[in-house]
């Protein structure tokens, strides 16, 4: 008889604790709301990654992964002074982990890249080896935008890996290999064409740093 | 009859309990008086009324009939019954109590247990009593132990020290050795005898143990709610 | 030697898990309660701050749905209907008005935004009157337009971030394909200005092919009768008046419902915690019956025992409450994010403002309620008779 009220109270407490924890956890991912996200991930993920049944957003920053040293290495690999404008070292990058059933099958990740008339958002879907499965420009401004966003242009990048950039420099536009043979669909808009290629390289380098080599060069 | 040496004076004390529709007379008109400095032991079989009598003498309970005088002052009697508050005042001035189940506070150390009464009531200079009693009762080396870390005999010594910390005139002991083996019982008995002898403490004790009862100078046999001087 | 306080404290330590669980209950309920109070206080403050940062107290816009208009305006969306710019002069003549500024909100369809295209909004402002109304806008780089027909834009911080623009870069108005030069980038303000692209009014009118405006911002004189001014403006044909005090009231009304809901949850949490406290203390009183009896034989008065048990309650409540309030202050940011997700409109800046006064207030409430819940157990303990308690085994 005496134990009963005690048990009931613990029951109530136990019910309350997970409820409040849930509330707190549910609020957490909102930290990553800056950076480069898919406009409508629920719709975009299955389109960019056929066969995906589920995705999970994770948030990674250079600060967390390796700090100033990593930032320096990444900038060295890109040959650019800034990763992106207005991107401090702790800016969170959204990486969508893609699952097919219970199995992880790949990633989707986007970066901001400066273009002639506005920001270019270059997204890629990669399999677990880092090979590009789908290439997608979510946003671009200017006369070249429609041509660059054409799926026929995107096809040129299917199968590209970070290795392809070993023989091709998107800053000078010089080099060999498959990337050197990608035709510019809007020859009058060179800046945007190379912007797209730089965005692609940046995306691959960041994903390599964050995921494929775990922050080590 | 009002002798200044007489500290407790009971006249025709009775106590009846109701159990269902039946009325049980636990104490049946006991008259006795206890002098200052006496060591009185009550013996008798279970249900003989000895504990009931001691509880009445110790102002822990109200009698159904009869009178009780404490140092010449009427506590219970015709037209007089003290409230719980007034009884508390009497108890803390006059009595110290020890029981069969020591009732120490398990979360407090030995020294703290002895000092507990002082948190509620403190006769002048009573603070000094704590260490004096620990020493007197041979438990000063246990002062910082918790009750669960000491033996039963030591626990009863702690209870005795606690009962004495406010320097009572009368110590009421209800089966003080009931939970102890014979060797420790003897020890506790000797402690009580020594307290009675050296500081003139009046002791009223209920016991089953004839050996212990012998230590008292005066012997009262209880049977069927009546007291027989032994 | 030993005080009642120590006796109470040590008896709580006797059943550590039970005490801890009870304290956790109080901690959680204080956390919810103080966060809620903080929200009550902070939300209104943040809203006022947002409204002050608009720079003007009243907006006149072409007729449409008032809620929609309010939302559009606060979120910097697109304008719906147009009005005649001549109205600006009429309004400026009124004695209560200190300054006016004409605004054109214009939206263009950008097919190259996302899968199915998106809207790009532009804010056409008058370089001679708009900056003067918002003197608190600071430039990260650059400055306002050189003329009212310049082909230039000034970007809010987030707009510049999204478009990856620096001063001197070009940008292009979608749909019309008109290039404009970035001449200024604003510092972060924490308001909707961060996402806004400002264009000189005449330039935007020319691009959009209109000579109308959508909105007039009105700044009233310091001690002007705002209500009278609003009522006068209502008399103008085909316009609606959005006063920020009204907007605020509307939003506060919407929030009110949410507040009542959260308050009831908090009260339930407090109630559960207090039932827990009463239960814990009552149980420990029953468990210590003999001990309490002994304390009474040793001279403890009923009120001593009452105070002893009450002190235990007080310790449980004070401990839990202080931890809960501190946790609430530390988790302020998380609470803020959580509330933002729940609300129809969340102003920028801290929504949950917990200050010292509020912390004390919450502590006071928990202590009072806690002491009330300790009343019964303490009274039970106080009235125990020594003999009955001792014999209760």
């Amino acid at each position: 008889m005496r134990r009963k009220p005690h048990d009931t109270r613990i029951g109530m407490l136990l019910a309350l604790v997970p409820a409040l924890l849930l509330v707190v956890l549910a609020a957490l991912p909102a930290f990553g709301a800056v950076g480069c996200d898919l406009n409508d991930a629920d719709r975009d993920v299955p389109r960019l990654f056929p066969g995906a049944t589920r995705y999970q957003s994770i948030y990674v920053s250079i600060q967390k992964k390796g700090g100033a040293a990593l930032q320096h290495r990444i900038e060295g690999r890109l040959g650019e002074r800034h990763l992106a404008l207005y991107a401090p070292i702790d800016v969170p990058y959204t990486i969508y982990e893609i699952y097919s059933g219970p199995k992880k099958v790949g990633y989707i990740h986007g970066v901001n890249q400066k273009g002639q008339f506005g920001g270019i958002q270059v997204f890629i879907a990669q399999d677990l080896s880092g090979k590009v499965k789908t290439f997608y420009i979510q946003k671009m401004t200017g006369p070249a935008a429609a041509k660059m966003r054409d799926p026929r242009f995107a096809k040129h990048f299917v199968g590209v890996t970070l290795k392809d950039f070993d023989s091709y420099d998107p800053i000078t536009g010089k080099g060999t290999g498959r990337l050197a043979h990608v035709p510019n669909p809007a020859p009058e808009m060179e800046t945007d064409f190379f912007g797209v290629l730089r965005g692609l390289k940046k995306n691959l380098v960041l994903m390599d740093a964050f995921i494929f080599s775990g922050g080590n060069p | 009859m009002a002798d200044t040496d007489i500290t407790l004076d009971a006249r025709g004390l009775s106590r009846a309990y109701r159990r269902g529709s039946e009325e049980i007379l636990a104490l049946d008109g006991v008259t006795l008086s206890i002098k200052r400095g006496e060591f009185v032991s009550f013996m008798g079989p279970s249900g003989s009324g000895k504990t009931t009598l001691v509880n009445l003498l110790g102002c822990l309970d109200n009698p159904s009939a009869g009178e009780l005088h404490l140092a010449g002052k009427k506590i219970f009697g015709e037209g007089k019954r003290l409230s719980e508050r007034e009884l508390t005042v009497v108890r803390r001035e006059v009595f110290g109590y020890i029981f069969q189940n020591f009732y120490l506070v398990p979360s407090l150390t030995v020294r703290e247990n002895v000092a507990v009464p002082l948190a509620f009531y403190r006769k002048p200079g009573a603070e000094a009593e704590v260490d004096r009693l620990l020493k007197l009762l041979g438990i000063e080396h246990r002062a910082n132990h918790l009750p669960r870390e000491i033996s039963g005999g030591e626990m009863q010594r702690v209870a005795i020290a606690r009962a004495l910390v406010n320097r009572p005139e009368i110590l009421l002991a209800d089966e003080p050795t009931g939970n102890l083996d014979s060797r420790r019982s003897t020890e506790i008995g000797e402690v009580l005898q020594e307290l009675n002898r050296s500081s003139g403490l009046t002791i009223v004790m209920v016991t089953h143990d004839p050996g212990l009862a012998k230590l008292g100078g005066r012997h009262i046999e209880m049977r069927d709610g009546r007291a027989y001087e032994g | 030697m030993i005080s009642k306080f120590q006796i109470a404290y040590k008896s709580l330590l006797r059943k550590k898990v039970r005490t801890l669980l009870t304290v956790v209950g109080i901690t959680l309920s204080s956390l919810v309660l103080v966060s809620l109070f903080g929200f009550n206080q902070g939300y209104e403050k943040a809203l006022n701050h947002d409204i002050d940062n608009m720079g003007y107290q009243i907006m006149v816009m072409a007729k449409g749905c008032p809620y929609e208009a309010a939302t559009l305006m606060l979120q910097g969306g697109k304008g719906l209907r147009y009005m005649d710019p001549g109205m600006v002069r009429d309004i400026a003549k009124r004695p209560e008005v200190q300054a006016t500024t004409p605004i054109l909100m214009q939206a263009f369809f950008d097919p190259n935004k996302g899968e199915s295209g998106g809207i790009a909004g532009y804010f056409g402002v008058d370089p001679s009157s708009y900056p003067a109304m918002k003197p608190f806008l600071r430039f990260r780089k650059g400055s306002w337009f050189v003329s009212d027909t310049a082909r230039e834009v000034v970007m809010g911080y987030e707009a510049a971030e999204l478009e990856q623009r620096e001063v001197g870069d070009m940008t292009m108005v979608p749909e019309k394909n008109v290039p404009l030069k970035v001449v200024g980038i604003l510092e972060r303000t924490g308001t909707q200005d961060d996402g806004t692209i400002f264009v000189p009014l005449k330039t935007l009118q020319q691009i959009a092919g209109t000579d109308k405006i959508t909105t007039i911002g009105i700044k009233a004189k310091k001690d002007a009768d705002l209500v009278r001014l609003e009522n006068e403006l209502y008399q103008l044909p085909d316009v609606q008046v959005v006063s920020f005090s009204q907007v605020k009231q509307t939003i506060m009304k919407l929030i009110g419902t949410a507040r009542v809901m959260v308050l009831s949850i908090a009260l339930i949490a407090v109630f559960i915690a207090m039932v827990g406290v009463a239960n814990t203390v009552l149980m420990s009183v029953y468990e210590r019956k003999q001990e309490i009896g002994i304390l009474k034989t040793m001279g403890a008065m009923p009120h001593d025992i009452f105070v002893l048990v009450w002190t235990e309650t007080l310790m449980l409540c004070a401990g839990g409450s202080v931890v809960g309030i501190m946790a609430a202050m530390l988790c302020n940011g998380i609470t803020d994010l959580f509330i933002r997700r729940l609300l129809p409109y969340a102003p920028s800046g801290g929504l949950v403002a917990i200050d010292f006064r509020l912390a004390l207030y919450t502590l006071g409430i928990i202590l009072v309620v806690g002491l009330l819940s300790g009343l019964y157990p303490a009274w039970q303990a106080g009235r125990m008779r020594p003999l009955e308690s001792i014999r209760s085994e």
Side-chain angles (χ1 to χ4, degrees), chain B residues 91-147:
Chain B
R91 286 197 292 258
R92 69 190 189 186
E93 279 296 333
V94 179
F95 294 100
Y97 305 84
I98 57 176
F99 300 89
Q100 182 174 355
N101 300 323
F102 331 120
Y103 299 123
L104 302 180
V105 181
S107 51
L108 300 183
T109 64
V110 163
R111 173 181 272 110
E112 287 168 336
N113 263 292
V114 173
V116 156
L118 304 180
F120 305 102
Y121 176 67
R122 185 179 297 190
K123 285 189 188 166
E127 289 94 334
E129 288 291 282
V130 176
D131 285 312
R132 191 186 74 82
L133 286 165
L134 285 172
K135 199 179 229 169
L136 183 71
L137 290 161
I139 43 175
E140 56 185 331
H141 62 295
R142 296 296 209 185
N144 295 318
H145 288 239
L146 289 173

Side-chain angles (χ1 to χ4, degrees), chain C residues 191-346:
Chain C
T191 68
Q192 69 272 13
D193 288 337
D194 288 351
T196 305
I197 303 176
F198 299 92
V199 184
L201 176 64
K202 290 214 168 111
T203 309
L204 189 61
Q205 281 176 334
Q206 199 206 334
I207 294 170
T210 176
D211 58 352
K212 310 247 179 202
I213 55 174
T214 54
T215 316
I216 303 170
I218 300 167
K219 190 172 189 169
K221 284 184 183 148
K222 256 227 145 50
D223 33 14
D225 182 351
L226 275 179
V227 180
R228 214 184 94 194
L229 179 58
E230 270 170 43
N231 285 335
E232 279 177 14
L233 292 173
Y234 270 121
Q235 309 306 316
L236 294 170
D238 294 325
V239 298
Q240 59 177 350
V241 180
V242 179
S243 94
F244 290 101
S245 60
Q246 271 180 18
V247 171
K248 188 182 144 190
Q249 274 166 17
T250 308
I251 292 173
M252 290 307 279
K253 223 179 274 170
L254 287 173
I255 298 305
T257 323
R259 281 209 289 208
V260 168
M261 222 177 71
V262 183
L263 184 67
S264 359
I265 295 173
L267 287 181
I268 290 170
V270 170
F271 178 73
I272 292 175
M274 290 314 155
V275 170
V277 171
N279 185 37
T280 300
V281 178
L282 199 58
M283 291 231 353
S284 87
V285 163
Y286 284 143
E287 280 166 4
R288 287 181 297 157
K289 226 171 165 176
Q290 284 98 13
E291 207 177 294
I292 290 170
I294 287 295
L295 293 180
K296 288 196 143 184
T297 65
M298 293 185 313
M301 288 288 180
H303 91 269
D304 287 326
I305 302 296
F306 185 90
V307 167
L308 191 70
V309 174
W310 231 26
T311 308
E312 285 178 28
T313 320
L314 191 70
M315 284 176 185
L316 285 174
C317 293
S321 190
V322 166
V323 174
I325 290 167
M326 282 187 345
M329 285 170 147
L330 288 177
C331 304
N332 223 343
I334 296 172
T335 319
D336 209 288
L337 281 172
F338 175 63
I339 291 176
R340 257 168 218 287
R341 298 190 145 202
L342 289 180
L343 293 182
Y345 169 71

Side-chain angles (χ1 to χ4, degrees), chain B residues 84 92 101 103 112 174, chain C residues 10 295 299 385 390-391 393:
Chain B
E84 189 54 39
R92 69 190 189 186
N101 300 323
Y103 299 123
E112 287 168 336
D174 187 357
Chain C
K10 293 209 169 175
L295 293 180
R385 304 270 310 264
I390 294 167
R391 296 260 164 257
E393 267 175 308

Side-chain angles (χ1 to χ4, degrees), chain B residues 4-106:
Chain B
T4 46
D5 274 353
I6 291 175
T7 175
L8 269 174
D9 191 10
R11 296 175 202 166
L13 274 188
S14 294
R15 182 70 167 95
Y17 296 100
R18 192 167 279 286
R19 185 166 290 159
S21 57
E22 193 186 3
E23 189 158 273
I24 298 163
L25 196 59
L27 208 59
D28 187 7
V30 171
T31 297
L32 62 86
S33 50
I34 293 169
K35 289 203 185 79
R36 197 159 305 212
E38 263 192 307
F39 188 161
V40 188
S41 53
F42 289 85
M43 278 197 73
S46 301
S48 60
K50 57 188 189 305
T51 291
T52 307
L53 176 61
V54 168
N55 286 339
L56 288 176
L57 294 177
C59 300
L60 288 169
D61 199 5
N62 284 297
S64 315
E67 289 184 6
L68 180 71
H69 296 253
L70 186 60
K73 209 177 136 210
K74 196 200 265 182
I75 304 291
F76 305 115
E78 229 48 52
K80 183 150 179 152
R81 262 175 106 80
L82 295 186
S83 71
E84 189 54 39
R85 241 191 125 70
E86 291 163 318
L87 282 177
T88 305
V89 172
V90 170
R91 286 197 292 258
R92 69 190 189 186
E93 279 296 333
V94 179
F95 294 100
Y97 305 84
I98 57 176
F99 300 89
Q100 182 174 355
N101 300 323
F102 331 120
Y103 299 123
L104 302 180
V105 181

Side-chain angles (χ1 to χ4, degrees), chain B residues 170-216:
Chain B
I170 305 168
L171 178 69
L172 279 168
D174 187 357
E175 301 274 13
T177 61
N179 274 350
L180 300 176
D181 60 35
S182 60
R183 195 167 69 90
R184 307 236 188 263
S185 297
T186 314
E187 276 174 27
I188 292 296
E190 282 163 1
V191 165
L192 292 176
Q193 197 172 31
E194 181 55 32
L195 285 168
N196 172 252
R197 213 176 277 158
S198 62
S199 50
L201 181 71
T202 311
I203 299 181
V204 178
M205 176 174 74
V206 167
T207 183
H208 266 115
D209 179 354
L212 197 63
K214 254 184 263 156
L215 297 172

Side-chain angles (χ1 to χ4, degrees), chain A residues 95-160:
Chain A
I95 297 174
Y96 302 88
E97 288 185 326
I98 310 301
Y99 292 84
S100 176
K103 236 179 67 208
K104 178 150 69 171
V105 290
Y107 304 92
I108 296 176
H109 176 234
V111 294
N112 284 318
Q113 181 69 38
K114 186 171 178 170
Q116 178 77 46
F117 290 107
I120 307 174
Q121 293 187 326
V122 181
F123 275 85
I124 50 171
Q126 288 172 285
D127 62 19
L128 291 175
S129 70
K131 201 192 279 173
V132 173
K133 230 172 125 66
T134 317
F135 174 91
Y136 170 54
I137 298 174
Q138 177 165 268
K139 172 190 172 303
M140 191 172 191
T141 310
K147 291 172 191 158
M148 303 269 182
R149 279 164 48 89
D150 192 311
R152 275 170 300 182
F153 178 61
K155 275 218 178 77
H156 290 292
F157 300 100
V158 174
V160 165

